Amino acid sequence: MERAALMGLLDTCVQDLDSEGLGDLLPELKEHLPGLLQSSDDGDFDTLSRAARLISFSSKPEPVPVAISILLDISAAHVPRGRVADALPFAERAHDLAEDHDLKPELRRASSVYAALSTEAGAPSRGLEYATKAARIARELGDRVSTAMACVNVTAALFSMGLYRETISVGLRTISEFKDYSDCALCVANTRSNMANAALAMSHFALAADAARESVSVLGLPRDAISLLNRVIAETVWMKAAIGLEQRAVVDERIAFIRSISAAFKAPRLQLNHQLAEAGYEMYAGDLTVAVAKLMELLKHTKAIPNLYRDNLAMLVRAYEKAQDHAGALIFLGELVEFLREKQVAAVKAGLASIEARHTTLLPGKDDVRDVIKAIQQTVPGASSRNVRNTTKGEVPEREYREAFERLAVSAELKEDVGGRHAYRMGRLAGLLAAKLGYDRKFCDEVEKGARLHDIGKLGIPDGLLLKSGELTPAEWTVMKRHTLIGAQIIRQCPHPAFRVGEQIALCHHEKWDGSGYPKGLRGDNIPVPARIVMLADVYDALTHARPYKHAWTHEDVVAYILDRAGSQFDPTYARLFVGMVDALRREHGDKLDDYLAEPSKASSFIQARDRMQEMLSEMAPLQPGEFL
């Protein structure tokens, strides 16, 4: 059957016949799929997208395994074209279909594709959850290659979250586990590429170069659009690492290869990667003015792809710093913060819209088809598509909003709090202090839960500042302080009244009793009660636990610190009451105090995913001393 005729029949079948007869059409569409997927024609790609929308809209997409396969194939085809956001709804629908029908192999693949797309779209915490889910299912199925692929997605998500040490650690374990299996060679190569990116971000140029070189040697000659993109990414990392090592000959070889691939394949995303690599080459071996001009021109093209736009702005910051133009560097650092803020606010808005859509009755039929498709596409994995259609319109439960925000807040702190439980421990401390102060149960609950979100605004601060080992300059400190304003704006996107306390906390938890805090310089009783409470809980838990840049303080030293600053940094009444409360808790719970305070974290799907990831790693063979290649 001709493609145009097939699409017409699919259209009629879905919109006019309630999907009757779709079972005969989907297998035929699958036969056409390889040709459409390999085509570089925009019309063929539009045909694919339209087919996926129709399948997503269908109430009975049968045969279900075929429908899932088509949706996932089309989703993956969006990546090299830089249209990941358009692909997410198709992967979501595939995931829901697999879960609804208890199709384990299909659910494994859908979770893996959705994880990769989420990370690429700028939601790596969600990507980590679904990559871990895919790995768990793959191990249950005894599918070695799929387990390795899921581990690749785990390292990609960790890297995107700025967890560079963890990326390398997980990458090393993955390589050790799968390097001897020929069917896992590509997965190992992509893991090395993610490791190389993480090492490069930490300025470990030798490790980055070694990992990228090994990745390139395995990737070999690209076979499709995805492998082309992966090869260019690995080549670019190798080139940047060689720049750091002052290996001019290697740099020239790598840029020459990137140019040859780019000239042979005109995919939009690939071209942008190529142009960013060219700008990096100019910064090193050419004219800095030319590099800046290229990067400025690229800004309007990369903005639609979050990861590339972030890299674009970061390169501009480095270019101005290299030119000793610190004012110019600060301008683009501010632009980078603003972009990260906008991205997070937009992501939160989209996430809240998805949650709200799950509680809205969908009435397909005479409604405009595009509006109905959009509504269906707003569902998220984990919410049964059947349940979406059968629920009645009503108020969104607070817990669903809460889980979405807590996932973001915890991911924002993981660079400093590897276990992800700081927010839960200090949240419970804050709630207990509110109770000691005589507030009612509802307020105490809102303080405890709002405290967990206190540093969510750090999602809008570049890794270069969050991970800087030395002291921040005054200009950098000004940028860092913006995390309070960003956090309040992110939480403000939620209409539920229970989040107003969290908004106050995010905005004011760095205000000080004597007025020397930020962002508003509030003094004394003008600082909201929840923020005064949370500052004590936050400081106590942060100081009594080790961080990458410091050792844990003793309880006695932290108590002395708090009492010394009562009346300057802390509310003096609250400080004395807090110290007495913590002393009592230590007597009651002893060495189990952390477990008691972190108890609420057990309900977090994100924390559960991280725990499962650690369990999976512990089941792998331990690394041998010096093992890497």
Side-chain angles (χ1 to χ4, degrees):
M1 187 185 303
E2 292 292 328
R3 291 173 185 172
L6 178 58
M7 290 305 303
L9 286 173
L10 281 170
D11 201 330
T12 300
C13 178
V14 171
Q15 295 189 37
D16 299 333
L17 301 177
D18 193 26
S19 301
E20 197 67 39
L22 197 61
D24 295 325
L25 297 177
L26 288 188
E28 185 150 358
L29 174 60
K30 189 168 178 62
E31 289 183 17
H32 284 278
L33 208 56
L36 289 167
L37 289 170
Q38 293 171 15
S39 173
S40 60
D41 182 79
D42 288 341
D44 286 339
F45 186 76
D46 289 341
T47 296
L48 285 175
S49 296
R50 186 177 172 213
R53 284 193 296 273
L54 287 168
I55 295 169
S56 295
F57 174 59
S58 170
S59 59
K60 293 181 291 186
E62 297 174 348
V64 174
V66 175
I68 292 171
S69 177
I70 292 172
L71 286 171
L72 295 177
D73 286 344
I74 295 174
S75 296
H78 281 67
V79 176
R81 289 179 174 266
R83 293 174 57 177
V84 177
D86 295 339
L88 279 167
F90 306 147
E92 291 170 358
R93 179 73 164 123
H95 178 282
D96 286 345
L97 285 169
E99 198 155 64
D100 285 351
H101 293 83
D102 196 26
L103 300 171
K104 281 294 181 68
E106 286 79 6
L107 182 60
R108 191 280 312 160
R109 187 187 173 206
S111 298
S112 192
V113 171
Y114 186 69
L117 292 174
S118 294
T119 297
E120 181 74 12
S125 59
R126 187 172 59 192
L128 181 62
E129 279 192 48
Y130 284 89
T132 304
K133 181 176 183 177
R136 175 177 55 80
I137 297 171
R139 290 176 79 88
E140 289 174 2
L141 295 171
D143 187 338
R144 182 174 59 220
V145 175
S146 295
T147 303
M149 188 66 246
C151 289
V152 174
N153 288 333
V154 167
T155 58
L158 291 170
F159 170 75
S160 292
M161 293 165 70
L163 302 177
Y164 304 131
R165 293 184 186 279
E166 198 166 349
T167 303
I168 293 171
S169 175
V170 175
L172 288 172
R173 298 295 293 273
T174 300
I175 292 168
S176 177
E177 180 78 5
F178 299 106
K179 67 179 182 179
D180 294 330
Y181 299 105
S182 60
D183 54 357
C184 295
L186 287 177
C187 294
V188 169
N190 288 325
T191 300
R192 292 190 195 278
S193 184
N194 292 334
M195 273 184 55
N197 268 304
L200 185 65
M202 298 173 67
S203 298
H204 291 341
F205 300 122
L207 175 59
D210 285 346
R213 182 177 61 250
E214 289 295 322
S215 176
V216 164
S217 69
V218 175
L219 288 172
L221 293 175
R223 294 161 302 287
D224 52 39
I226 294 293
S227 58
L228 275 165
L229 185 58
N230 288 337
R231 177 69 187 264
V232 167
I233 290 171
E235 290 280 357
T236 302
V237 174
W238 189 1
M239 183 191 78
K240 290 179 179 178
I243 288 173
L245 295 170
E246 294 289 333
Q247 296 174 339
R248 177 61 184 265
V250 176
V251 174
D252 289 342
E253 289 170 2
R254 300 307 17 112
I255 193 65
F257 190 87
I258 292 170
R259 286 168 179 162
S260 68
I261 288 184
S262 181
F265 195 82
K266 301 298 183 182
R269 170 65 191 272
L270 183 64
Q271 295 302 312
L272 292 176
N273 280 84
H274 168 223
Q275 291 304 316
L276 285 173
E278 289 284 3
Y281 181 79
E282 286 289 347
M283 286 172 61
Y284 167 68
D287 188 328
L288 199 57
T289 303
V290 173
V292 169
K294 287 186 175 183
L295 290 168
M296 293 290 287
E297 173 64 20
L298 276 169
L299 284 176
K300 59 188 177 185
H301 301 292
T302 58
K303 193 163 189 177
I305 306 174
N307 290 342
L308 291 188
Y309 190 66
R310 179 195 61 205
D311 292 347
N312 197 161
L313 288 170
M315 289 177 71
L316 276 166
V317 173
R318 288 197 297 273
Y320 277 92
E321 287 177 342
K322 188 173 182 179
Q324 300 297 307
D325 184 347
H326 300 300
L330 186 59
I331 288 173
F332 284 103
L333 182 60
E335 287 289 324
L336 180 56
V337 172
E338 181 62 16
F339 161 68
L340 293 172
R341 180 197 66 78
E342 289 179 355
K343 185 181 77 169
Q344 292 301 332
V345 169
V348 167
K349 283 182 177 179
L352 295 178
S354 295
I355 292 171
E356 289 159 7
R358 296 215 302 271
H359 294 267
T360 303
T361 299
L362 302 176
L363 300 173
K366 298 299 182 182
D367 299 16
D368 182 88
V369 170
R370 287 170 300 178
D371 291 341
V372 179
I373 291 174
K374 182 179 179 182
I376 290 175
Q377 290 173 349
Q378 284 178 326
T379 60
V380 296
S384 163
S385 56
R386 292 172 296 184
N387 291 340
V388 168
R389 288 177 173 77
N390 294 332
T391 53
T392 56
K393 186 174 182 178
E395 185 177 341
V396 179
E398 178 194 336
R399 62 176 173 77
E400 296 199 29
Y401 285 136
R402 187 74 62 185
E403 183 174 348
F405 274 111
E406 287 181 9
R407 179 192 294 113
L408 290 173
V410 172
S411 68
E413 294 197 87
L414 284 174
K415 299 177 186 70
E416 298 175 295
D417 173 42
V418 176
R421 288 172 169 80
H422 163 68
Y424 293 93
R425 291 192 303 264
M426 58 84 69
R428 177 162 273 192
L429 283 172
L432 291 171
L433 180 56
K436 283 285 185 183
L437 289 164
Y439 288 98
D440 62 33
R441 183 173 179 178
K442 179 176 181 295
F443 180 80
C444 295
D445 185 62
E446 289 181 352
V447 168
E448 175 174 346
K449 292 175 179 175
R452 298 174 194 166
L453 312 182
H454 70 293
D455 268 344
I456 195 171
K458 286 185 177 178
L459 290 168
I461 303 300
D463 290 340
L465 292 188
L466 291 175
L467 299 173
K468 186 173 180 180
S469 56
E471 290 188 11
L472 299 179
T473 66
E476 290 172 335
W477 185 241
T478 299
V479 172
M480 178 67 83
K481 289 178 179 178
R482 289 174 62 180
H483 84 272
T484 55
L485 299 167
I486 295 169
Q489 186 177 12
I490 288 173
I491 299 173
R492 196 174 300 136
Q493 305 310 308
C494 184
H496 200 291
F499 286 83
R500 302 291 70 82
V501 170
E503 184 182 334
Q504 271 189 337
I505 291 170
L507 181 64
C508 301
H509 70 284
H510 282 292
E511 300 288 2
K512 296 182 179 180
W513 186 255
D514 63 4
S516 64
Y518 63 89
K520 296 183 178 181
L522 300 179
R523 179 188 298 269
D525 291 336
N526 290 324
I527 304 172
V529 167
R532 281 185 266 161
I533 290 172
V534 165
M535 176 178 281
L536 282 159
D538 186 22
V539 167
Y540 179 83
D541 191 77
L543 291 180
T544 53
H545 290 82
R547 294 287 174 89
Y549 50 83
K550 74 168 190 67
H551 296 295
W553 290 23
T554 65
H555 165 74
E556 291 73 21
D557 285 345
V558 178
V559 165
Y561 177 92
I562 289 173
L563 292 178
D564 182 61
R565 286 160 178 74
S568 57
Q569 182 174 352
F570 307 110
D571 180 320
T573 302
Y574 288 12
R576 288 189 292 272
L577 191 61
F578 179 80
V579 167
M581 181 191 80
V582 174
D583 281 339
L585 286 170
R586 283 170 56 82
R587 288 193 298 271
E588 180 180 355
H589 296 282
D591 293 340
K592 299 293 184 182
L593 178 57
D594 274 1
D595 293 338
Y596 166 72
L597 295 176
E599 183 74 22
S601 69
K602 293 180 180 179
S604 165
S605 62
F606 183 59
I607 295 294
Q608 291 170 11
R610 284 185 59 79
D611 288 347
R612 284 194 293 269
M613 182 189 77
Q614 294 301 327
E615 290 171 7
M616 179 183 70
L617 292 174
S618 69
E619 294 171 0
M620 294 180 177
L623 290 172
Q624 299 302 313
E627 182 175 7
F628 170 49
L629 300 178

